[in-house]
Amino acid sequence: MFFCCYGIAEDRQINGLGALDEKIKKLVQQHKLPSVSYGIVNNNGEAHITTVGMANTQKNTAVTAGTSYRLASLSKMIVGIAIMQLVESGQLNLEDTLAIHVPDVPFDNPWRETTPLKVVHLVENTTGWSDISLKAFAYNNEVQLSLVDALAIDPGSRTSRWPPGSRHAYTNSAAVVSALIVERITGMPFAVYAQQYIFAPLAINSASYSISPANIATGYTKGKPVTYKPILMTYAGGLTLTISDSTKLLSALVNRNEALLSPLGYERMEHSHGTNAGVFPAGYGIYNYARYYNGWRFRGHDGSLPGWLSELSYSPDFNTGFVVLQNAENGRGFRAIVKAISDHLTAQFPSPELVQTSEKPDETLDGYYRYQNPRNPNIAFLERITSSNRLEVNENQASFSSVFPLGWLRELHYAGQGKWKNNKNQIVMIESSDPLLGKVIHYGDRVFKQESMFLALADKFVLVFWLLLLILLSAALPMWGYRLWRKRYINEGAKLTRQATIVSLVSSWSFLIFLLLGLLSPIARLGSLGVVSAGLWLTSILFALGTLYAAYVLVQNRKLAVNPVLRSLCYGFTLLQIIVVLYLLWHGTISIMSWR
């Protein structure tokens, strides 16, 4: 496999970058990645760039520092810089209402009279809008639409689900509206503005929003090449860039390059101001998130498209960072590489002494919590299962852990005034009040509301026991079917109970199979009308009808003689399935038309 490094030999030896390069080369081979390119900016200002692998495995084209990659959502950082440039030049105020700048962009804010939607809500993703639909994700933008026309594709997603500024919820359309504001103020297309005021000052020459960028690597999913498809939300995720130029952008952020912004401008991008938590270093800033590696706060953004993964993260405190570009949709391999780089950087950070406070936290904080700001309500039925956490408060310390699945755990220390920090003295959680929810906690970009242990655990128990009974009863399904066909059941109760349960089982499996097929490739399979999307719509209806039929038959014949064990299993399974169906109805999953 082709391997190339660009950097300073002495710098590599002093900081161990040579060993890191060898480790990542092995990770690329281990995870069978076509290529990975990465850049590291150290606190001495030096940049180290490495490329590993093939830009195109079929043609054996080696990746170089001049090979372009799709940045996906990392593109939003350019929109954030542009917005802050207009703020610093006095052409834009983050407190401006959205209607002032883009009155022709439709959106719905039920709280418009008391909490109007502002630019700050837009750029910090606190509008309360849902993310764009799968239809918008799947749109092929080969004939590139104007921003207004692109935003007209899915206007229904731009409805505030809670008062703007109360909770973060990531959405791609916000960045496109922000880019449109830049166009309206400057009078030039966003791509032209970005080239003149962001890329040119940094000597970045490869930046492209084109539908056919030059010298681009081929993206891969499960070893198969992905056809390049221009996305609808161009400025939210359509930028292509080489690793050499991506590292120049990284260097500008790390070193506070005043060719783009003032030091205060960079700092403003790196803090959330637009929620009820106030100024929050762990919140989502201006298209700039917080991510913690070994407890240390990094800022930046990541990106994902079919066939592509990217991340740019940097430490404002230690003036160092990294950018990783990968032309494969292999999250496990990507995370392993990011971990290797972040471990290398943070190993050089000095260990801090934990600062203690004598102030005591509110003991009523102890309990179960569920986050209240799902990105997309269409998949909230899945997110809810994993959305519960347990906060255990003990004196001035606390542990915050996931309920299901187990494994995620963070130790917290009280910092006073409703703020909690990690063991690196980094504020990561703030107590606050939500206009609809009341008392909440903000942990990173998630908002948690306390709930009872019953509510936190009930959905998990229902799901686990329903799946266990589904598998157990399905094992008997072939025998039941054969014996019913051969009319071997003399007892009417035994026959009807099995018939009803078979209908319920078949409807369950048909729905689960199409759901799984869709989730394996949601944009390709659910973003347009096709076999899987239509099958999911149909089987979700059959799932509900099959459950209703089974329940009706069992209730109508409840007095017939049936083996007690069989009765318990079948009636118990049907009861649990009724709960599952009601749950899916509540979340709008039954009869879902994912392509709309």
Side-chain angles (χ1 to χ4, degrees):
M1 183 171 280
F2 182 81
F3 180 67
C4 182
C5 294
Y6 298 80
I8 299 175
E10 292 80 9
D11 179 63
R12 292 176 62 207
Q13 294 305 317
I14 291 172
N15 295 291
L17 288 171
L20 176 64
D21 288 339
E22 289 300 319
K23 181 176 183 178
I24 292 179
K25 182 181 178 181
K26 292 178 181 178
L27 288 172
V28 169
Q29 294 170 342
Q30 175 186 337
H31 292 280
K32 299 179 181 179
L33 304 174
S35 82
V36 167
S37 295
Y38 58 95
I40 298 173
V41 174
N42 288 328
N43 54 14
N44 60 7
E46 300 288 350
H48 173 81
I49 297 173
T50 303
T51 64
V52 187
M54 297 289 173
N56 187 301
T57 58
Q58 286 73 32
K59 298 179 180 178
N60 288 325
T61 305
V63 67
T64 71
T67 301
S68 288
Y69 288 76
R70 301 190 79 171
L71 299 193
S73 288
L74 203 159
S75 309
K76 293 179 177 69
M77 294 194 76
I78 304 302
V79 179
I81 292 170
I83 287 289
M84 282 307 301
Q85 286 180 334
L86 297 182
V87 170
E88 293 200 328
S89 67
Q91 301 176 77
L92 176 66
N93 191 314
L94 293 178
E95 293 300 312
D96 288 347
T97 61
L98 211 55
I100 292 176
H101 298 285
V102 283
D104 52 333
V105 173
F107 64 87
D108 183 20
N109 174 20
W111 296 272
R112 64 180 67 85
E113 298 299 327
T114 56
T115 314
L117 198 55
K118 300 178 181 179
V119 174
V120 66
H121 303 141
L122 191 71
V123 298
E124 292 191 3
N125 272 321
T126 59
T127 58
W129 296 347
S130 303
D131 203 357
I132 59 176
S133 65
L134 287 173
K135 173 186 175 181
F137 272 117
Y139 189 91
N140 191 338
N141 201 20
E142 286 183 346
V143 180
Q144 212 162 26
L145 297 178
S146 69
L147 298 189
V148 171
D149 289 341
L151 290 166
I153 296 293
D154 184 27
S157 65
R158 295 191 298 278
T159 297
S160 296
R161 293 170 285 163
W162 46 75
S166 55
R167 305 174 224 171
H168 167 85
Y170 188 88
T171 174
N172 282 275
S173 61
V176 177
V177 178
S178 299
L180 180 59
I181 290 175
V182 174
E183 290 192 348
R184 294 284 172 81
I185 291 175
T186 63
M188 62 178 73
F190 183 84
V192 174
Y193 176 90
Q195 177 58 44
Q196 184 172 339
Y197 292 99
I198 299 175
F199 300 133
L202 301 181
I204 289 176
N205 301 311
S206 66
S208 174
Y209 293 101
S210 168
I211 62 173
S212 54
N215 198 32
I216 188 169
T218 300
Y220 293 88
T221 296
K222 297 179 181 178
K224 297 180 180 180
V226 175
T227 302
Y228 185 93
K229 184 175 69 174
I231 64 173
L232 178 65
M233 300 290 164
T234 302
Y235 300 117
L239 180 62
T240 59
L241 211 58
T242 65
I243 188 59
S244 179
D245 282 342
S246 298
T247 305
K248 292 176 184 178
L249 174 62
L250 170 65
S251 182
L253 293 162
V254 166
N255 297 305
R256 304 313 212 213
N257 190 327
E258 295 194 37
L260 297 185
L261 295 171
S262 71
L264 288 177
Y266 286 107
E267 185 177 350
R268 175 61 186 88
M269 287 183 66
E270 295 161 358
H271 289 71
S272 169
H273 289 220
T275 72
N276 297 319
V279 179
F280 190 20
Y284 188 94
I286 297 180
Y287 301 120
N288 187 302
Y289 67 59
R291 180 162 289 177
Y292 291 78
Y293 290 111
N294 298 317
W296 294 106
R297 181 174 69 101
F298 281 68
R299 300 295 313 193
H301 217 292
D302 59 6
S304 174
L305 279 172
W308 303 89
L309 292 171
S310 64
E311 180 174 338
L312 185 154
S313 291
Y314 63 99
S315 167
D317 298 320
F318 295 100
N319 305 111
T320 186
F322 62 90
V323 56
V324 181
L325 307 178
Q326 180 176 293
N327 63 332
E329 201 175 355
N330 182 326
R332 186 177 179 185
F334 188 80
R335 288 189 295 272
I337 289 167
V338 167
K339 185 179 187 305
I341 297 174
S342 59
D343 284 349
H344 168 80
L345 293 178
T346 56
Q348 303 171 45
F349 295 173
S351 297
E353 182 179 345
L354 189 65
V355 179
Q356 303 286 350
T357 179
S358 59
E359 187 179 337
K360 298 297 182 183
D362 181 0
E363 293 183 356
T364 64
L365 287 172
D366 192 283
Y368 288 87
Y369 288 79
R370 191 184 299 274
Y371 75 79
Q372 306 292 320
N373 50 330
R375 174 173 171 175
N376 195 323
N378 287 336
I379 59 171
F381 75 99
L382 290 174
E383 287 187 353
R384 179 182 169 84
I385 303 299
T386 60
S387 65
S388 293
N389 280 25
R390 175 77 169 99
L391 181 65
E392 296 183 74
V393 179
N394 182 17
E395 303 254 334
N396 280 30
Q397 299 183 44
S399 63
F400 202 37
S401 59
S402 58
V403 173
F404 178 84
L406 299 173
W408 185 88
L409 172 67
R410 295 294 183 270
E411 297 295 337
L412 304 174
H413 305 270
Y414 193 56
Q417 299 180 326
K419 298 179 181 181
W420 294 80
K421 59 188 177 183
N422 62 14
N423 62 359
K424 301 296 192 300
N425 289 314
Q426 311 261 340
I427 300 297
V428 295
M429 189 171 83
I430 293 182
E431 301 165 32
S432 183
S433 179
D434 185 275
L436 300 183
L437 302 173
K439 186 177 179 180
V440 295
I441 55 175
H442 289 247
Y443 185 92
D445 58 16
R446 290 191 168 182
V447 178
F448 289 84
K449 170 71 175 174
Q450 194 169 20
E451 66 178 5
S452 67
M453 182 173 68
F454 172 80
L455 289 176
L457 301 178
D459 50 2
K460 286 80 172 170
F461 279 112
V462 169
L463 176 64
V464 168
F465 282 107
W466 174 66
L467 289 175
L468 285 174
L469 286 176
L470 175 66
I471 294 169
L472 177 64
L473 293 172
S474 294
L477 197 152
M479 181 185 68
W480 287 357
Y482 174 78
R483 292 176 67 87
L484 285 169
W485 175 55
R486 301 292 294 178
K487 299 182 179 178
R488 297 284 180 87
Y489 293 113
I490 301 174
N491 182 290
E492 189 70 8
K495 182 179 73 173
L496 290 173
T497 298
R498 286 175 170 86
Q499 284 179 342
T501 305
I502 287 174
V503 171
S504 192
L505 290 169
V506 171
S507 67
S508 299
W509 281 115
S510 62
F511 169 70
L512 289 174
I513 288 170
F514 276 97
L515 177 62
L516 179 60
L517 288 173
L519 292 176
L520 287 173
S521 185
I523 295 175
R525 295 176 178 175
L526 299 178
S528 57
L529 182 59
V531 173
V532 176
S533 58
L536 180 61
W537 166 77
L538 178 61
T539 56
S540 70
I541 296 173
L542 293 176
F543 180 52
L545 293 177
T547 303
L548 184 64
Y549 167 80
Y552 174 79
V553 171
L554 293 178
V555 170
Q556 284 293 102
N557 298 281
R558 63 188 181 278
K559 294 182 179 180
L560 295 178
V562 180
N563 179 285
V565 175
L566 178 67
R567 181 188 294 275
S568 297
L569 290 174
C570 293
Y571 278 63
F573 173 70
T574 303
L575 175 61
L576 290 173
Q577 186 147 308
I578 290 171
I579 297 173
V580 172
V581 168
L582 291 174
Y583 176 83
L584 295 176
L585 277 169
W586 175 264
H587 287 282
T589 309
I590 301 297
S591 77
I592 185 171
M593 296 183 183
S594 62
W595 63 89
R596 296 183 63 179

